Amino acid sequence: MESLSNRIVSLSPSATVAMNQKSRDLQAKGVDVINLSVGEPDFFTPDHIKEAAKKAIDDNFSFYPPVSGFPDLKKAIVEKFKRENNLEYKPEQIVVSCGAKHSLANVLMVLIDKGDEVIIPAPYWVSYIELVKLCEGTPVVVHSGFESNFKMTPEQLEKAITPKTKALLICSPSNPTGAVYSRNELQALAEILARHETILVISDEIYEHINYIGGHESIAQFGNIKERCVVINGVSKSYAMTGWRIGYFGAPVWIAKACEKLQGQTTTGATTIAQKASVAALTGDQECVADMNKAFKRRKDLIVRLINDIPGLRVYEPDGAFYVFPQISAYFGKSFNGNRIDSSNDLCIYLLEHAHIAMVPGEAFGDPGCARISFATSDEKLVEAMKRMKDALGRLR
Ligand code: PMP
Ligand code: GLU
């Protein structure tokens, strides 16, 4: 007899992971699917990083690592925060985990009690809501649409705060919209937060290096809230290392210690070989990061142009990350062979089945009028995918 916990029964599966799997299953059956669903760089991990991993194997890094991460990796992370973000941390404020998703899960797990409210600006990344719910917290979603460039205003933040607010969970550059908060915009949010001394700020900066408007700004830079910020980052996106599963954060010592305790009972830390590879990523030549960013920028320009050429779609030009989140609701109410399309979900299924392109429906990100396209793939595939999309949408009546 199946008797799963309520905790897992009430957890929704990740829509990004599910769509990626659906696309892989179709590909395995020989269908020529262009997968624009999952967000991962299509580049190979740079050679110097792979060499460091091979060396770690030869050097017998085959024993359990320190639970919160190897000292040389923590040192590299401290230096990265100083060099790139002008944030000062001590090694005891850093915890290395099995991907930024795991860092986020750990942080929420040690902070959120039943009924604690976590403010989440929408459109949000799929996993935020479910992770908060897994911790029995209450997500408080603040909607910001196209008109406000998909960014939460200080007024919206102020209005969402209640005596139960435990944390704000913010993502810039944003998955799924590509919106990037400017220094001034972050400062305005920080000023509100400074007046509410018990609210913690969890800042997901995993797309830091995929930025088309210049430098990255972290909300943790503001002295009035720095002591309450957790900055989450990782090597997945910046160094094309999604499969290596290394994420990390910088936080107040009490949060880092709690996460170390949690990891001590759950994972015993992240894979040794991947940690050594991450040292090479963070301390080595950063040209690979700039090269990949250049390619993403070219693809961003391309896909925005291609989408603008499709009647009825409206697209916000992303300032960072590698997603576009076009509004597709003009097609709701139309039909194909008598099947009505009433939602982003319906439209994505139609496009998967009839155009063989995989995208993620907007429902998963808290904006059902849009759909997410990852453009972390080749220019040729983007051109072909948008051609298929234009044709398929044109067949709807
Ligand atoms: N945050 C955001 C916004 C993401 O898009 C991702 C991508 N998976 C993650 C965190 C987690 O990244 P990873 O676990 O691969 O480090
Ligand atoms: N962050 C990526 C995405 O949103 C990877 C998939 C995942 O980890 O959910 O598609």
Side-chain angles (χ1 to χ4, degrees):
M1 190 192 78
E2 289 185 6
S3 58
L4 293 169
S5 67
N6 291 333
R7 190 182 311 116
I8 198 68
V9 170
S10 56
L11 186 74
S12 302
S14 161
T16 49
V17 173
M19 203 54 162
N20 192 33
Q21 192 54 47
K22 218 177 250 181
S23 164
R24 282 180 178 169
D25 292 346
L26 280 172
Q27 281 165 343
K29 286 188 192 149
V31 182
D32 167 32
V33 175
I34 301 180
N35 186 3
L36 308 178
S37 68
V38 76
E40 67 176 341
D42 55 326
F43 301 109
F44 295 131
T45 302
D47 284 342
H48 69 283
I49 300 174
K50 295 198 281 198
E51 287 308 321
K54 291 177 199 168
K55 182 167 180 328
I57 294 174
D58 288 340
D59 290 349
N60 294 307
F61 279 96
S62 52
F63 302 95
Y64 287 127
V67 169
S68 61
F70 279 121
D72 57 348
L73 179 53
K74 288 173 51 167
K75 180 168 175 280
I77 293 167
V78 166
E79 286 168 3
K80 174 255 174 285
F81 274 131
K82 179 68 196 155
R83 182 179 69 239
E84 297 187 336
N85 313 109
N86 199 23
L87 296 175
E88 305 260 4
Y89 288 109
K90 297 196 173 68
E92 58 268 31
Q93 294 180 272
I94 307 293
V95 175
V96 177
S97 306
C98 310
K101 192 185 271 189
H102 183 222
S103 304
L104 189 62
N106 278 345
V107 169
L108 291 169
M109 198 73 88
V110 304
L111 293 179
I112 305 304
D113 271 326
K114 192 173 183 149
D116 283 345
E117 292 179 356
V118 180
I119 297 175
I120 302 178
Y124 44 70
W125 181 44
V126 282
S127 296
Y128 294 160
I129 301 281
E130 294 306 314
L131 285 175
V132 169
K133 288 203 289 202
L134 198 59
C135 299
E136 299 186 89
T138 307
V140 174
V141 174
V142 175
H143 290 276
S144 52
F146 225 97
E147 287 62 34
S148 44
N149 292 332
F150 291 118
K151 288 188 250 189
M152 178 177 68
T153 63
E155 295 72 32
Q156 284 182 303
L157 171 62
E158 180 93 73
K159 249 171 98 182
I161 293 172
T162 77
K164 288 187 177 167
T165 306
K166 181 77 188 248
L168 162 69
L169 174 38
I170 190 165
C171 179
S172 177
S174 153
N175 177 1
T177 64
V180 174
Y181 285 83
S182 69
R183 187 179 189 282
N184 285 347
E185 286 163 342
L186 291 173
Q187 187 165 24
L189 297 178
E191 273 162 22
I192 306 286
L193 294 161
R195 295 206 290 273
H196 299 271
E197 285 172 13
T198 56
I199 300 179
L200 297 155
V201 181
I202 305 169
S203 180
D204 182 344
E205 302 181 15
I206 189 89
Y207 295 100
E208 161 175 21
H209 291 120
I210 302 158
N211 182 311
Y212 312 120
I213 52 164
H216 172 75
E217 300 286 348
S218 172
I219 194 166
Q221 70 185 282
F222 302 107
N224 49 2
I225 58 162
K226 159 95 202 306
E227 295 311 313
R228 292 188 265 137
C229 289
V230 179
V231 179
I232 295 188
N233 212 320
V235 295
S236 287
K237 318 285 173 176
S238 302
Y239 300 96
M241 293 176 70
T242 46
W244 297 75
R245 311 306 305 127
I246 295 290
Y248 58 83
F249 66 76
V253 173
W254 59 276
I255 296 178
K257 283 251 165 300
C259 287
E260 185 174 2
K261 180 163 80 169
L262 180 59
Q263 287 199 165
Q265 293 287 22
T266 52
T267 59
T268 322
T271 313
T272 53
I273 311 303
Q275 287 199 49
K276 291 293 170 185
S278 300
V279 174
L282 294 173
T283 60
D285 191 344
Q286 300 298 299
E287 211 174 304
C288 55
V289 177
D291 286 348
M292 287 190 268
N293 195 48
K294 214 183 287 166
F296 288 133
K297 181 174 182 314
R298 189 187 65 241
R299 293 160 175 189
K300 183 264 294 176
D301 292 342
L302 173 66
I303 193 136
V304 167
R305 187 162 51 75
L306 293 169
I307 293 178
N308 275 330
D309 193 38
I310 301 178
L313 298 191
R314 224 176 129 206
V315 67
Y316 167 85
E317 182 159 351
D319 287 334
F322 38 59
Y323 308 101
V324 276
F325 197 56
Q327 219 167 43
I328 40 115
S329 47
Y331 287 92
F332 297 173
K334 298 196 176 210
S335 303
F336 178 73
N337 283 350
N339 296 316
R340 226 175 101 108
I341 285 171
D342 280 322
S343 65
S344 182
N345 227 338
D346 291 351
L347 194 72
C348 288
I349 288 173
Y350 166 71
L351 289 172
L352 181 64
E353 289 176 352
H354 296 274
H356 298 154
I357 56 176
M359 327 182 343
V360 187
E363 285 89 344
F365 306 97
D367 192 336
C370 297
R372 192 189 77 176
I373 295 173
S374 162
F375 57 83
T377 193
S378 70
D379 298 28
E380 296 71 33
K381 282 192 183 162
L382 293 177
V383 169
E384 171 61 19
M386 290 307 101
K387 181 181 169 302
R388 289 185 193 181
M389 182 155 153
K390 189 175 180 180
D391 292 349
L393 290 177
R395 291 199 293 274
L396 293 174
R397 292 288 168 262

